[in-house]
Amino acid sequence: STQSTGKKKVKEGMASFCEIIKKNSRTENLWIAIGAFGGAVNGATMPIFAFLFAEVIDALAVVLKGTLETGEPDYSATDKWSLYFLITAFIIGIANFVQINFMSMSGVSFTSPTPSP
């Protein structure tokens, strides 16, 4: 059974996303927003990792070329890019923690029965 509301057909008993969000408490909406931010950071890190990986490979090529020419490797460029890689990994770890914990907290809060008055 469907009801026509203007252009959309809505099934009985179905709620829109906005209606569900409006019924959440402010803390649940805050948890969802923080979890979504963590998810956005996680999504943005994959292109960053690709860039850093390419720079590390390029730096290793420079080290190999210098080693072949002088006989002594110079790892200064690889140290810098490896440090950036480590910092990015640390940020991803924090973003994963934030995303998983805050989305879980909002899910538990949303599905827990509310005490009756």
Side-chain angles (χ1 to χ4, degrees):
S1 61
T2 60
Q3 295 176 343
S4 180
T5 57
K7 293 181 181 178
K8 296 182 184 178
K9 287 187 176 182
V10 180
K11 291 184 180 179
E12 256 180 59
M14 298 290 288
S16 71
F17 178 74
C18 292
E19 290 172 351
I20 293 171
I21 293 297
K22 286 178 186 175
K23 290 183 181 186
N24 286 344
S25 68
R26 285 185 180 202
T27 55
E28 287 173 340
N29 286 336
L30 179 65
W31 291 339
I32 291 170
I34 294 171
F37 176 75
V41 171
N42 277 329
T45 55
M46 290 305 135
I48 293 170
F49 261 140
F51 171 76
L52 291 176
F53 187 70
E55 291 296 327
V56 167
I57 295 297
D58 187 45
L60 286 173
V62 170
V63 168
L64 179 61
K65 183 180 177 186
T67 303
L68 292 174
E69 290 174 356
T70 64
E72 291 292 320
D74 179 22
Y75 292 109
S76 59
T78 57
D79 292 344
K80 175 182 78 168
W81 290 108
S82 297
L83 179 64
Y84 291 161
F85 219 99
L86 184 65
I87 291 168
T88 305
F90 183 72
I91 291 169
I92 287 176
I94 291 172
N96 271 322
F97 178 79
V98 167
Q99 178 186 6
I100 291 169
N101 281 334
F102 281 92
M103 288 296 190
S104 296
M105 287 171 25
S106 71
V108 167
S109 176
F110 187 68
T111 58
S112 297
T114 56
S116 51

